[in-house]
Amino acid sequence: MNTNLETKGTINTKVVANFLSLKLYLFFVPLFLLFIIVCFLYRQNALSVSQYIAVQKNSFYQINAAYSQFSTAIYNLTQIGDALIFLSLLSILLMHAPKLWEALLSASLVSAVFSNALKAVFSVPRPAASFDNTTFTIIGPTLTGHNSLPSGHAITFFTVLTVLLFAFMPKKTFSKIAWTIFIICIGLLLVFTRVGLGAHFPLDVIAGSCIGAISGLAGIVITRKYKIWSWIANKKFYPIFILLFLVCGSVIINKIIHENLIIFYLTLISLIVSLYQLTYAYIKR
């Protein structure tokens, strides 16, 4: 019996076809946006850390004031920028679109490297370490480290969203445009929650979004070229994910105990459904 889901299942077949049709020139879009950011900072004489912060002061306060009016909503939404939460929410797609998960795993590794390396290189202090904390809204923990640029949550948001964008890209031109705009709007809504919480400057999340897009594209290209994660589609390896999702579930339960956010309940439900599907399929294989 063939356990490779790449040859069966309309969802996974669509994902495979879409990944194969990905054009490498798409990398130039986020790279060009990063170039624009650098040019903007250069023209503003803001390539130093102090000027980088100063040039964004007004926009930071404006976005923080606007977003922080919806404190409960943005605090829930920003949790999706935690890779554990985002991937757990998508765990339900593991059986139906293993190729998607192959790309997600590769992309997540690439994004982790970018995030940790670039934060260390730039060493930009967080808003709470730069401004008087009484002058803006801080929701959740007060972050004061020197790791503001780029935003790790923004990288995660756009890493995953980029993979989803191309995995489920429609065929018709109008649908492609609508789908792309929808994903980008969702992404921008999510990344700017980091500014609303008082955790990042605007350019932190914009740069992070571009890096996330590059990571997502890289994950797709790696998956297309190499068969690192092809074993995911094989049912005999499902116990690995069953164990992994059980561990994730215990972490989510701990988060619920301490913060009791709606997003954590939704994540736990997704994991429970995924565990049921995987366990049933493994037993019946």
Side-chain angles (χ1 to χ4, degrees):
M1 181 177 180
N2 185 6
T3 57
N4 189 343
L5 295 183
E6 183 173 310
T7 59
K8 58 183 178 180
T10 56
I11 297 177
N12 199 60
T13 302
K14 177 181 177 64
V15 172
V16 172
N18 281 345
F19 283 173
L20 288 174
S21 64
L22 183 77
K23 306 300 182 184
L24 293 180
Y25 64 73
L26 290 169
F27 277 97
F28 287 108
V29 177
L31 287 171
F32 179 71
L33 291 175
L34 286 173
F35 176 73
I36 293 297
I37 292 172
V38 173
C39 289
F40 167 76
L41 292 173
Y42 177 78
R43 288 180 61 85
Q44 297 294 319
N45 193 30
L47 292 177
S48 66
V49 171
S50 59
Q51 287 302 111
Y52 172 83
I53 294 171
V55 78
Q56 299 181 79
K57 184 175 182 179
N58 290 337
S59 58
F60 167 77
Y61 278 119
Q62 291 170 358
I63 296 171
N64 177 261
Y67 262 73
S68 61
Q69 297 179 60
F70 311 98
S71 58
T72 301
I74 66 170
Y75 194 53
N76 272 276
L77 290 173
T78 203
Q79 306 303 324
I80 302 174
D82 182 337
L84 170 69
I85 302 299
F86 214 156
L87 293 179
S88 293
L89 286 169
L90 296 175
S91 63
I92 202 166
L93 293 173
L94 178 65
M95 278 184 57
H96 309 289
K99 185 59 69 174
L100 168 69
W101 260 79
E102 289 182 38
L104 286 174
L105 290 175
S106 294
S108 295
L109 291 175
V110 173
S111 68
V113 171
F114 275 139
S115 180
N116 290 306
L118 293 175
K119 282 177 178 290
V121 168
F122 294 117
S123 191
V124 174
R126 301 266 190 169
S130 306
F131 304 140
D132 181 351
N133 291 0
T134 63
T135 61
F136 64 97
T137 302
I138 297 176
I139 302 169
T142 300
L143 303 176
T144 57
H146 283 57
N147 56 352
S148 195
L149 175 68
S151 165
H153 279 68
I155 292 176
T156 299
F157 283 134
F158 266 87
T159 295
V160 177
L161 287 173
T162 299
V163 174
L164 291 175
L165 169 66
F166 292 104
F168 300 114
M169 183 67 75
K171 296 298 181 184
K172 296 181 179 179
T173 302
F174 177 80
S175 298
K176 282 184 178 181
I177 295 172
W179 173 241
T180 302
I181 292 174
F182 173 74
I183 289 293
I184 291 175
C185 288
I186 291 295
L188 292 177
L189 172 68
L190 291 173
V191 299
F192 279 106
T193 61
R194 304 305 295 165
V195 182
L197 298 179
H200 282 285
F201 299 104
L203 287 179
D204 295 345
V205 301
I206 296 174
S209 300
C210 295
I211 295 166
I214 293 170
S215 301
L217 290 169
I220 294 173
V221 172
I222 291 170
T223 299
R224 192 170 66 180
K225 189 173 180 62
Y226 303 103
K227 305 299 181 182
I228 306 172
W229 310 105
S230 58
W231 54 269
I232 289 176
N234 194 323
K235 290 182 181 179
K236 73 178 183 180
F237 293 110
Y238 280 5
I240 295 175
F241 287 97
I242 291 172
L243 178 60
L244 178 62
F245 291 164
L246 283 172
V247 172
C248 291
S250 65
V251 174
I252 299 303
I253 291 172
N254 186 60
K255 286 180 176 290
I256 290 173
I257 292 171
H258 288 87
E259 294 193 86
N260 197 34
L261 297 177
I262 294 174
I263 190 64
F264 295 152
Y265 286 99
L266 295 176
T267 304
L268 185 60
I269 291 171
S270 180
L271 284 171
I272 291 172
V273 172
S274 302
L275 283 167
Y276 171 78
Q277 290 181 335
L278 290 170
T279 304
Y280 184 82
Y282 181 71
I283 293 173
K284 294 293 184 180
R285 79 188 192 283

